[in-house]
């Protein structure tokens, strides 16, 4: 399968009465984009308002909370369209010609869910930790219709962002690209014949799919409903995989990351030179132990079936997915295929704690993304796009992260339980019947913050004491079991 990407360099973004790309400048009529976004019924029902802003590299601008980042593209030749199964019809993508508006992105922001969304700083020390500080960002700030469930709102904002990116991408349809590149992977027999002496290498791409708004979509299908399978690398590059993920910022693959996956890019760079890049194997990250076993079995089986010599395995998330990572790695090694894994670490602020929740001697080749528990300080910036209301609650933050002077102190990632393997459905999945919410006896609470380590969106710290948002609590009881002073109790009425 061969894909030609035509890169249109965007050097500036300006609001205008007319939407167009001209001489490297993207002109945007915000009202036209908004009208296109609101043509979707789910957006109409769940998104109260949408407004647009522009953030450029080097500006004293902070964007938060960030939901997704999307690179605008348009299919100009070949089957399918952008974001198949969601925006375009379900046709196989990854071939033909696609134009890319390079150097910019559409960013969805605003009070999305209220936890675990990230921060993009366009300047200062925070800019060093995000690739999006280098882009021209068209930011779409959304607000929620009152009473809409968080799952429905996340879906609507996801669609809104993809529709905005589709509108912007269409502006590049008739623009001559500044650069064109071709990417191709061959069939199994063709590859063997053309590269008989090169090692056969694949990419095992683990997709976040644990639920609780930790979701990834493949051709519009929630990845948790899929089995491990094979996909052409160019399908990933052409919008087949999108993010629906509200996982912590430093562990999150946005849609932009899927479109511009650096593992795919680096493997293509070496394809035909030092290795034969055969395919991607996409596998999900599960909650049930049986599902973890099934998916990892299939990953190893496909690696053996394809007669691969080696694979790169990357994970999204941490803690629970560490088990999926090690199960995949161990089983693939056991069928005779060499592995190298890519992961970040949670080693504590001093770097001395166990950095992964699982391990195995066969996982002996690791590329680390660094320690997510490292504490950083972000100075106050002149402008905020979105709101600072959720800084203390966002992953990596804590009560007092947002200082009175407007600066922020936070970890790159807040600590959570290292590993939870569930043998029943997650209580936060919307099809599961919920128990009565819990409440906190503030006289008993000592403010130790152990409950914050659960990572539950319903728990926060108010005036030094734990607080439960009863609109988010599903009564699972984990906090009650964890609390050493028995400050949590059910609100269920006796009798």
């Amino acid at each position: 399968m061969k894909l030609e990407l035509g890169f249109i360099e965007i050097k500036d973004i300006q609001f205008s009465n007319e939407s167009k790309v001209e001489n490297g400048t993207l002109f945007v009529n915000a009202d036209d984009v908004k009208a296109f976004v609101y043509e979707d019924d789910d957006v109409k029902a769940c998104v109260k308002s949408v407004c647009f802003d522009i953030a450029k590299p080097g500006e004293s601008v902070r964007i938060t909370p960030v939901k997704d980042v999307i690179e605008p593209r348009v299919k100009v030749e070949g089957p399918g369209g952008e974001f198949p199964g969601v925006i375009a019809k379900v046709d196989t993508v990854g071939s033909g010609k696609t134009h890319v508006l390079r150097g910019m992105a559409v960013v969805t922001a605003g009070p999305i869910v209220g936890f675990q969304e990230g921060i993009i700083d366009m300047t200062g020390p925070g800019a060093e930790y995000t690739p999006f500080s280098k882009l021209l960002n068209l930011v779409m700030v959304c607000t929620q219709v009152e009473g809409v469930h968080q799952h429905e709102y996340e879906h609507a904002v996801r669609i809104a962002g993809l529709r905005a990116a589709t509108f912007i991408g269409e502006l590049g349809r008739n623009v001559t690209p500044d650069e064109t590149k071709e990417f191709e992977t061959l069939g199994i027999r063709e590859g063997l014949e053309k590269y008989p002496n090169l090692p056969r290498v694949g990419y095992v791409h683990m997709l976040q799919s644990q639920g609780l708004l930790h979701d990834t979509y493949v051709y519009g299908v929630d990845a948790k409903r899929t089995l491990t399978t094979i996909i052409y690398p160019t399908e990933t590059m052409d919008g087949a995989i999108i993010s629906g993920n509200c996982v912590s910022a430093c562990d999150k693959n946005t849609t932009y990351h899927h479109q511009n996956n650096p593992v795919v890019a680096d493997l293509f760079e070496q394809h035909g030179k030092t290795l034969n890049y055969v395919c991607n194997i996409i596998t999900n990250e599960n909650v049930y132990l049986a599902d973890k076993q099934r998916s990892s079995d299939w990953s190893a089986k496909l690696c053996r079936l394809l007669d691969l010599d080696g694979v790169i395995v990357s994970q999204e998330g941490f803690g629970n997915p560490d088990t999926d990572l090690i199960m995949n790695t161990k089983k693939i090694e056991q069928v005779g295929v060499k592995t190298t894994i890519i992961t970040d670490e949670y080693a504590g602020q001093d770097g001395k704690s166990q950095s992964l929740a699982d391990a195995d001697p066969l996982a002996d080749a690791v590329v680390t993304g660094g320690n997510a528990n490292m504490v950083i300080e972000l100075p106050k910036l002149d402008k905020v796009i979105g709101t600072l209301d959720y800084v203390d609650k966002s992953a990596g933050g804590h009560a007092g992260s947002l200082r009175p002077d407007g600066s922020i102190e936070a970890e790159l990632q807040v600590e959570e339980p290292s590993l939870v393997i569930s043998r029943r459905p997650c209580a936060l999945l919307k099809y599961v019947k919920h128990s009565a919410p819990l409440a906190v006896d503030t006289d008993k609470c000592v403010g130790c913050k152990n409950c914050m380590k659960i990572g539950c969106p319903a728990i926060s710290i108010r005036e030094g004491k734990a607080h439960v948002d009863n609109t988010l609590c599903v009564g699972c009881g984990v906090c009650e079991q964890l609390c050493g002073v028995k400050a949590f109790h059910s609100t269920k009425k006796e009798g």
Side-chain angles (χ1 to χ4, degrees):
M1 184 176 283
K2 181 188 293 186
L3 175 66
E4 180 183 300
L5 294 182
F7 298 99
I8 301 166
E9 299 291 346
I10 301 300
K11 301 174 183 178
D12 193 19
I13 303 178
Q14 298 178 21
F15 288 122
S16 174
N17 292 327
E18 180 184 4
S19 295
K20 61 181 179 179
V21 176
E22 187 174 83
N23 297 324
T25 297
L26 171 65
F27 296 94
V28 179
N29 183 317
D31 290 336
D32 288 348
V33 182
K34 180 178 178 180
F36 183 76
V37 167
Y38 270 99
E39 288 177 9
D40 183 85
D41 290 339
D42 291 333
V43 175
K44 290 178 185 176
C46 300
V47 180
K48 180 179 179 180
S49 66
V50 164
C51 64
F52 291 90
D53 209 329
I54 296 170
K56 302 179 181 181
E59 292 183 336
S60 184
V61 174
R62 174 166 293 146
I63 310 169
T64 187
V66 174
K67 170 63 172 68
D68 199 8
V69 183
I70 310 158
E71 185 173 61
R73 299 182 173 197
V74 60
K75 174 66 68 178
V76 295
E77 286 185 20
E82 282 307 301
F83 315 120
V86 182
I87 302 300
K89 293 181 180 180
V90 186
D91 290 320
T92 300
V93 294
S95 63
K97 295 182 180 180
T98 297
H99 284 180
V100 180
L101 273 60
R102 187 163 65 182
M104 69 149 299
V106 171
V107 177
T108 49
I112 307 297
V113 177
F115 75 104
Q116 295 199 335
E117 285 86 18
I119 295 173
I120 297 174
D121 279 359
M122 300 303 294
T123 191
E128 299 175 8
Y129 296 100
T130 171
F132 308 127
S133 64
K134 317 294 191 300
L135 301 178
L136 296 160
N137 294 310
L138 178 65
V139 185
M140 182 170 67
V141 180
C142 303
T143 61
Q144 183 176 353
V145 171
E146 187 175 353
V148 171
H149 192 278
Q150 62 188 48
H151 289 86
E152 281 66 45
Y153 184 54
E154 185 281 323
H155 168 79
V157 174
R158 182 182 353 122
I159 297 302
L162 296 172
R163 288 187 66 84
T166 299
F167 181 97
I168 298 300
E170 185 65 33
L171 302 177
R173 178 177 293 277
N174 298 315
V175 177
T176 301
D178 297 287
E179 180 186 10
T180 299
K181 288 186 177 181
E182 287 188 351
F183 303 88
E184 183 178 18
T185 46
L186 303 174
I188 294 176
R189 184 166 61 183
E190 292 176 288
L192 284 169
E193 292 174 350
K194 187 169 184 178
Y195 308 116
N197 299 316
L198 293 180
R200 296 169 55 74
V201 176
Y203 172 31
V204 177
H205 186 186
M206 294 171 54
L207 305 177
Q208 178 57 262
S209 55
Q210 294 176 292
L212 180 56
L213 304 170
H214 293 34
D215 302 302
T216 306
Y217 296 85
V218 181
Y219 283 96
V221 177
D222 189 335
K224 73 171 64 66
R225 302 179 184 275
T226 67
L227 287 170
T228 304
T229 191
I230 300 170
I231 191 171
Y232 281 100
T234 51
E235 292 178 81
T236 301
M237 302 169 76
D238 215 15
I241 302 177
I242 62 171
S243 173
N245 198 347
C246 298
V247 74
S248 314
C250 68
D251 274 295
K252 175 176 182 168
N253 290 333
T254 66
T255 298
Y256 185 98
H257 286 99
H258 291 300
Q259 295 170 303
N260 297 277
N261 189 315
V263 177
V264 172
D266 287 350
L267 286 172
F268 265 127
E269 182 63 30
Q270 295 301 314
H271 181 50
K273 302 173 184 175
T274 62
L275 55 85
N276 175 8
Y277 183 14
V278 177
C279 69
N280 290 1
I281 296 171
I282 54 173
T283 185
N284 48 23
E285 299 172 356
N286 295 284
V287 177
Y288 293 172
L289 178 57
D291 290 336
K292 292 175 181 289
Q293 293 171 332
R294 182 184 301 110
S295 291
S296 55
D297 283 348
W298 279 58
S299 295
K301 181 170 60 177
L302 288 174
C303 288
R304 183 67 188 90
L305 177 67
L306 295 165
D307 200 22
L308 299 179
D309 296 300
V311 295
I312 294 174
V313 186
S314 70
Q315 76 162 328
E316 182 177 9
F318 73 102
N320 191 304
D322 290 349
T323 299
D324 300 82
L325 174 68
I326 297 303
M327 290 175 81
N328 276 309
T329 303
K330 179 179 179 180
K331 292 178 182 180
I332 293 169
E333 287 274 353
Q334 287 174 335
V335 298
V337 180
K338 294 297 183 182
T339 62
T340 298
I341 65 177
I342 301 174
T343 182
D344 56 5
E345 301 180 62
Y346 288 77
Q349 293 183 9
D350 60 3
K352 296 180 180 180
S353 300
Q354 179 175 326
S355 57
L356 293 176
D358 198 2
D360 190 273
L362 291 176
D364 59 359
V366 181
V367 177
T368 177
N371 182 16
N373 291 132
M374 184 178 71
V375 175
I376 57 173
E377 294 190 13
L378 306 176
K380 178 183 178 180
L381 299 184
D382 295 336
K383 179 180 178 180
V384 174
I385 300 178
T387 176
L388 294 173
D389 291 349
Y390 301 96
V391 168
D392 287 359
K393 295 172 63 177
S394 294
H398 56 81
S401 277
L402 180 61
R403 295 166 170 169
D405 64 0
S407 63
I408 297 172
E409 179 189 67
E411 288 185 353
L412 289 179
Q413 167 63 53
V414 74
E415 293 178 302
E416 295 185 13
S418 295
L419 180 64
V420 178
I421 298 178
S422 174
R423 298 183 186 274
R424 60 182 175 84
C426 172
L428 288 168
L429 294 176
K430 58 185 177 181
Y431 56 79
V432 176
K433 185 177 180 180
H434 297 162
S435 301
L438 280 82
V440 176
D441 185 336
T442 54
D443 291 334
K444 292 183 178 180
C445 179
V446 297
C448 67
K449 301 181 183 177
N450 278 343
C451 55
M452 294 296 291
K453 296 180 180 180
I454 302 171
C456 174
I459 301 175
S460 60
I461 301 295
R462 292 189 181 180
E463 298 180 356
K465 302 282 188 174
H467 172 78
V468 175
D469 184 339
N470 61 14
T471 65
L472 295 176
C473 178
V474 297
C476 69
V478 173
C479 56
E480 188 177 15
Q481 298 171 39
L482 181 68
C483 181
V485 296
K486 307 300 181 184
F488 290 87
H489 60 88
S490 175
T491 59
K492 181 178 181 181
K493 296 181 179 180
E494 297 295 333

